[in-house]
Amino acid sequence: MSTRFFSAVLSAFLFLAAFASAETPLRVFIRSGAKSHGPGAHDHPAFLKDWVVLLNERGAKATGADRAPTREELDATDVLVIHRDGGGDFSA
């Protein structure tokens, strides 16, 4: 997936978060991964760090990790963002 695609999707999340009621913030979990390319390309840890802050500043309740969410974390999530190498290659 391209950076432009991720930017568009995350812009939509920001839009939704901006209009979320303080009583029911959008709950986002970002599943990151290890840095897999050189400087400025596919920096998954930086993506996680930056977007958790941005979403929280805009009224969402964002968390994340470089691992899959636990059952409890997933139960407390409205939106799951997967930004890592092999993002669609998960086993049970």
Side-chain angles (χ1 to χ4, degrees):
M1 300 268 169
S2 72
T3 302
R4 181 170 285 164
F5 171 78
F6 284 111
S7 295
V9 170
L10 286 170
S11 293
F13 293 143
L14 289 175
F15 177 79
L16 292 173
F19 290 99
S21 145
E23 296 172 18
T24 57
L26 186 64
R27 302 170 303 167
V28 180
F29 187 94
I30 301 173
R31 194 317 190 185
S32 181
K35 185 166 176 57
S36 60
H37 291 76
H42 304 295
D43 193 336
H44 302 113
F47 178 92
L48 171 63
K49 180 182 171 191
D50 293 344
W51 280 97
V52 165
V53 171
L54 287 169
L55 290 168
N56 284 326
E57 287 176 346
R58 286 157 180 83
K61 183 178 177 188
T63 62
D66 64 352
R67 56 165 174 73
T70 64
R71 169 56 55 196
E72 293 78 22
E73 289 168 330
L74 195 55
D75 288 344
T77 297
D78 299 312
V79 177
L80 174 62
V81 177
I82 301 172
H83 184 57
R84 63 179 289 270
D85 256 358
D89 300 330
F90 284 100
S91 63

